[in-house]
Structure formats: structure tokens, C-alpha cells
């Protein structure tokens, strides 16, 4: 969906549709010699089904007053190999009327084989220093953000310059239930492919792109609320909540989020694990969705000796996709996980994971909320009783 810039006061994002930019039309980026690339630049992934309002959100952010210089990376699938990504830098403080500067990036699909090209292009820009202090990456409507997130998280090479701040998913209030139920928009071929990839038995409930975009989201904007009744909207909220019990949800029209800071930008979703988040997730939401659920496992504070066993439990479920101790189970797939694990010596461990990557850090300010440890899992088949059983067996061994 093209959004043409008409206001010449503010830089407006135009999605690339042409494969080749005329050199004359590509202004070069102006370097700010005063800015030093000393701090890490946050990167937010903006995902959501075709036409859900991703570009509308980016335009909203680019024109809002936030005092940030934001780089936007777009990637669009074309009909051919002419897949294009471009980068535009917005300076909300600039008063001069200039067309947005474009730096064309190499072609390729950022969520799969060519992802490193995207990363290299960002790094290249970071080398120029001070050009921007925030990165927004809009994926295509059919992207699985779980494939993309690991590229920007826990990458030592990138670690010095970029970090993944969070994943924001736009949901089309009018169509999302159809997408979840029928794979509406995914196309028959894609639906069939996903059955092969994610459901080895072929008879489980359908895993759609909408599921993947919701299960990985740290923030969900249910957009286009003007197109549904309050009752319909309530159903959408409940369904989404039942899939992802950790995500923050906001209903919007025209992707308008007046409070960007702390909700869309700078949310630190891959660093902080607050007790509130986990408590919310474990309130027990109805299992309205047959494919993806959120499951919370609570257990007593660990002794220092149990930490390694807990780690082995995580490695087994995430890396081997099986339950320890030959615990019988049906196939499962973890999309996202978070945890807060108090240790009897006074420490609190914070746990973050996406797909088969995870990270354990000690809380810097270990406030103990009782002695209950909580592990929240989002994914397919994560509600099986075997998870609890095998964990307690593991910890008791
Ligand atoms: N009725 C209605 N239309 C909206 C709303 N938000 C955005 N739109 C329109 O929906 C269309 C698609 O919005 P985009 O922001 O381009 O969506 P997108 O997710 O970037 O779409 P793709 O890049 O094509 O996947 C545009 O015509 C928007 O103006 C809304 O809240 N209500
Ligand atoms: Zn778009």
C-alpha cells in the first residue's frame, strides 16, 4: 500500500514498489559529525498481516514528536526477484522540507536466506555514526517474526551496535479471526507448507501466519477498530489474549498510539522480565485457540544446585523439542518464553527466549515476590501436563 507524502513539513514514508531508483532521485545521507555511535541502537520489528496498518503506524511514528532520529527499513515481496528494501531516516527535529533520504539496500528477503544482507546493510549504516538512534523494521505481511527475531538478538557481532527492543504486531480487527481460523490470506500453498513445517502429524489444528505474528508479539495493536462492532472487537481481544498471555494489547484506528515511548518504542521486551507481566500471563485465560496457547508453570525457588538441572530442562525442550526423562508427550513448539526464577541464595534469574534461543540473566535489583518461580511458555502444545511433570522430576533428581 503506497502512502505518498504530501505534507512538505515532515518526511513521509513511501513504500518502495519500483525495483531500481534513479540515481538522481536518491539523496545521500548527511552525516552528523557530532554524534558518536557509543550507545546501542534499539530495533523494533513491526509485523502484521497484509494491510493491517504497519505502514500507517510507521508514518504515524515518523511524524510524531519523539525527538528521535528513526531509521525505517521496509521489505516488500515483489512478483519477481525484485524484492526491495530501502532505508529512510527521519529527523523529527528537522524543520527543512526535504524528501526523505533513501539508502537502497541489497535485494533479498530479510526473513530468510538474505537476512544477513539486511543486517550487513544496517551495520554499514551504523558505521556512519549518529545518523539515527532508533530502527524500525517493517516486515512483509507474510513474515514469521520468529525467524527474524534471532537475527537481532544475542548476536555478538551486532551486539555492539543494535539490540532487539521488541516486536510490535498489527492486527486487522475485521479479518484476524478469519485468518486464525482458516489461514485467510496465507494462500493454500502456504497453509500446506506450514502444515508440513509445524505439524508433523498433519492432523493438528492449523498454524497460520496470524498465529505466528501474534505469538511472538510483545505489543499487539488491534487496528481498524472502526470496521467492527464493540462485540466483535471484544471477541478479537479475547482470542488474542488466549493465544499470547504476555503481550500488551491496544485497540487503535489508523494505528494511532499517542503514547509511543514505553509502549511501542523503548520497551526493552528482551531484557526486562517484570513480575507483573508474568502474574498477568498466569491469571489463566480461556483456551479459545486450538493452535497456540500460553502456559505458566509455577514452582518453588530453586536451590543453587538445581539451577543446572533447570537449564538442562530448558535445553531439552528448546533444542531437542522433547521432554526430559522420556516423558511421553505430543509434539510441541515454543515460540516465546519468559521467566523469573528466585534462587534460595537471594538471587533472581530472569529468563528470555524466542524459538530455540534463550538467555538467563541475574536480575540487577533482585526484588523477591515470594518464593514462587514462574516460567511462561507461548507456543503449540505447551500446555501439556508433561511439562510440569518432567520439570519437577528433573528438579527432584
Ligand atoms: N478503515 C481503516 N483503514 C485503515 C486503518 N488503518 C489503516 N487503514 C488503511 O488500510 C490500508 C492499509 O494500511 P497500511 O498501513 O498500508 O497497511 P500495511 O500493513 O503496511 O500493508 P502492507 O504493507 O500492504 O502489508 C491503507 O489504505 C490505510 O489507510 C484503520 O484504522 N481503519
Ligand atoms: Zn506496509
Amino acid at each position: 500500500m503506497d502512502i505518498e507524502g504530501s505534507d512538505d513539513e515532515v518526511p513521509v514514508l513511501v513504500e518502495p514498489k519500483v525495483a531500481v531508483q534513479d540515481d538522481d532521485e536518491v539523496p545521500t545521507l548527511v552525516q552528523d559529525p557530532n554524534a558518536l555511535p557509543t550507545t546501542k541502537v534499539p530495533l523494533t520489528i513491526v509485523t502484521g498481516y497484509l494491510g493491517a496498518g504497519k505502514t500507517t503506524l510507521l508514518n504515524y511514528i515518523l511524524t510524531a514528536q519523539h525527538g528521535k532520529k528513526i531509521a525505517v527499513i521496509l521489505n516488500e515481496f515483489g512478483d519477481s526477484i525484485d524484492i526491495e528494501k530501502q532505508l529512510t531516516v527521519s529527523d523529527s527535529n528537522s524543520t527543512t522540507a526535504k524528501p526523505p533520504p533513501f539508502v537502497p539496500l541489497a535485494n533479498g528477503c530479510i526473513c530468510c536466506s538474505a537476512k544477513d544482507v539486511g543486517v550487513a546493510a544496517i551495520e554499514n549504516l551504523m558505521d556512519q555514526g549518529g545518523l539515527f538512534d532508533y530502527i524500525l523494521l517493517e516486515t512483509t505481511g507474510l513474515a514469521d517474526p520468529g525467524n527474524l527475531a534471532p537475527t537481532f538478538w544475542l548476536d555478538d557481532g551486532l551486539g555492539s551496535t543494535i539490540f532487539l527492543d521488541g516486536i510490535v504486531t498489527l492486527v486487522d480487527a475485521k479479518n484476524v479471526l478469519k485468518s486464525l481460523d482458516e489461514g485467510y490470506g496465507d494462500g493454500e500453498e502456504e497453509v500446506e507448507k506450514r502444515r508440513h513445517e509445524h505439524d508433523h502429524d498433519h492432523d493438528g489444528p492449523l498454524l497460520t501466519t496470524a498465529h505466528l505474528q501474534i505469538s511472538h508479539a510483545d505489543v499487539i495493536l488491534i487496528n481498524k477498530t472502526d470496521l467492527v462492532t464493540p462485540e466483535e472487537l471484544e471477541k478479537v481481544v479475547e482470542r488474542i489474549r488466549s493465544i499470547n498471555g504476555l503481550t500488551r494489547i491496544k485497540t487503535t484506528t489508523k494505528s494511532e498510539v499517542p503514547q509511543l515511548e514505553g509502549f511501542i518504542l523503548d520497551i526493552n521486551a528482551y531484557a526486562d522480565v517484570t513480575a507483573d507481566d508474568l502474574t498477568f500471563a498466569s491469571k489463566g485465560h480461556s483456551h479459545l485457540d486450538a493452535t497456540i496457547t500460553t502456559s505458566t508453570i509455577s514452582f518453588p525457588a530453586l536451590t543453587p544446585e538445581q539451577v543446572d538441572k533447570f537449564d538442562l530442562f530448558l535445553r531439552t525442550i528448546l533444542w531437542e523439542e522433547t521432554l526430559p526423562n522420556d516423558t511421553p508427550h505430543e509434539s510441541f513448539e515454543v515460540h516465546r518464553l519468559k521467566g523469573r526464577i528466585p534462587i534460595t541464595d537471594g538471587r533472581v534469574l530472569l529468563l528470555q527466549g524466542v524459538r530455540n534461543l534463550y538467555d538467563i540473566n541475574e536480575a540487577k535489583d533482585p526484588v523477591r515476590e515470594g518464593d514462587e518461580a514462574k516460567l511462561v511458555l507461548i507456543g503449540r502444545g505447551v500446555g501439556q501436563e508433561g511439562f510440569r511433570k518432567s520439570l519437577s522430576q528433573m528438579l527432584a533428581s
Side-chain angles (χ1 to χ4, degrees):
M1 182 57 61
D2 282 3
I3 297 186
E4 300 293 343
S6 52
D7 187 346
D8 50 20
E9 284 299 311
V10 285
V12 173
L13 184 61
V14 181
E15 287 197 42
K17 290 290 186 215
V18 272
V20 183
Q21 289 273 336
D22 191 323
D23 270 352
D24 296 341
E25 290 172 6
V26 184
T28 48
L29 290 160
V30 184
Q31 224 166 319
D32 177 355
N34 298 319
L36 295 168
T38 44
T39 48
K40 287 188 183 189
V41 173
L43 179 140
T44 295
I45 295 173
V46 177
T47 182
Y49 185 65
L50 298 161
K54 299 180 292 295
T55 305
T56 307
L57 175 68
L58 296 192
N59 275 328
Y60 180 84
I61 296 173
L62 288 178
T63 55
Q65 289 303 314
H66 41 59
K68 291 185 196 301
K69 284 189 285 182
I70 297 177
V72 170
I73 301 165
L74 304 165
N75 74 319
E76 293 278 322
F77 287 107
D79 291 336
S80 61
I81 50 162
D82 291 330
I83 295 159
E84 190 171 24
K85 299 189 295 290
Q86 285 187 330
L87 198 141
T88 173
V89 176
S90 136
D91 182 347
S92 67
N93 295 320
S94 106
T95 47
T96 47
K98 270 183 288 183
F102 283 115
V103 177
L105 306 184
N107 285 348
C109 163
I110 201 157
C111 68
C112 48
S113 59
K115 69 183 176 189
D116 296 335
V117 175
V119 169
I122 295 168
E123 279 185 317
N124 191 16
L125 271 153
M126 301 303 292
D127 287 344
Q128 300 182 50
L131 280 170
F132 48 82
D133 44 34
Y134 211 100
I135 301 172
L136 294 173
L137 188 137
E138 176 183 338
T139 72
T140 69
L142 292 175
D144 171 0
N147 282 337
L148 197 49
T151 308
F152 298 106
W153 190 51
L154 300 183
D155 185 319
D156 284 341
L158 284 171
S160 53
T161 51
I162 296 171
F163 72 93
L164 178 60
D165 186 65
I167 297 177
V168 175
T169 294
L170 271 290
V171 158
D172 179 338
K174 183 83 184 161
N175 288 319
V176 65
L177 295 183
K178 231 165 114 189
S179 295
L180 289 168
D181 290 333
E182 304 160 22
Y184 166 72
D186 281 353
E188 263 172 54
E189 223 173 282
E190 185 63 21
V191 168
E192 201 43 39
K193 197 176 123 227
R194 284 201 198 285
R195 276 198 197 280
H196 280 276
E197 270 173 15
H198 299 275
D199 180 10
H200 306 292
D201 314 328
H202 278 243
D203 51 6
L206 186 63
L207 180 73
T208 68
T209 303
H211 281 103
L212 292 164
Q213 292 179 342
I214 291 167
S215 67
H216 291 90
D218 300 297
V219 174
I220 292 177
L221 300 184
I222 303 177
N223 192 39
K224 301 196 171 184
T225 53
D226 53 315
L227 302 180
V228 293
T229 64
E231 292 74 29
E232 287 173 311
L233 186 58
E234 188 52 37
K235 272 202 185 125
V236 170
V237 173
E238 279 175 17
R239 180 73 174 272
I240 288 174
R241 178 56 68 209
S242 81
I243 294 172
N244 187 333
L246 283 173
T247 194
R248 289 198 270 171
I249 297 177
K250 202 174 185 68
T251 57
T252 58
T253 49
K254 293 276 171 194
S255 310
E256 284 176 13
V257 186
Q259 179 60 42
L260 288 170
E261 189 64 31
F263 192 81
I264 301 281
L265 306 176
D266 297 318
I267 60 175
N268 254 313
Y270 279 76
D272 289 350
V273 184
T274 68
D276 281 355
D277 287 343
L278 304 191
T279 305
F280 187 66
S282 53
K283 285 254 158 69
H285 303 275
S286 50
H287 290 187
L288 293 173
D289 194 278
T291 314
I292 305 287
T293 51
T294 300
S295 174
T296 303
I297 303 174
S298 303
F299 47 98
L302 298 182
T303 63
E305 296 73 41
Q306 284 177 316
V307 173
D308 279 350
K309 292 172 183 168
F310 180 65
D311 197 54
L312 179 57
F313 173 79
L314 290 174
R315 286 196 311 259
T316 310
I317 64 169
L318 296 179
W319 297 358
E320 289 166 33
E321 298 191 338
T322 180
L323 294 177
N325 303 321
D326 297 322
T327 311
H329 66 87
E330 292 177 10
S331 76
F332 62 85
E333 182 178 284
V334 177
H335 293 172
R336 191 78 167 91
L337 70 82
K338 287 196 185 196
R340 274 181 78 92
I341 319 294
I343 311 298
T344 51
D345 62 12
R347 291 177 296 153
V348 173
L349 302 182
L350 304 181
L351 180 62
Q352 284 277 357
V354 59
R355 296 290 245 274
N356 57 8
L357 286 186
Y358 73 102
D359 190 26
I360 300 178
N361 282 303
E362 251 178 66
K364 287 191 187 72
D365 192 11
V367 183
R368 295 276 287 268
E369 301 83 13
D371 263 341
E372 177 130 292
K374 274 199 182 108
L375 172 63
V376 179
L377 302 162
I378 301 174
R380 192 169 56 78
V382 296
Q384 298 175 54
E385 193 46 39
F387 278 75
R388 269 164 240 277
K389 246 199 206 151
S390 65
L391 176 61
S392 61
Q393 266 179 22
M394 183 74 112
L395 295 178
S397 66

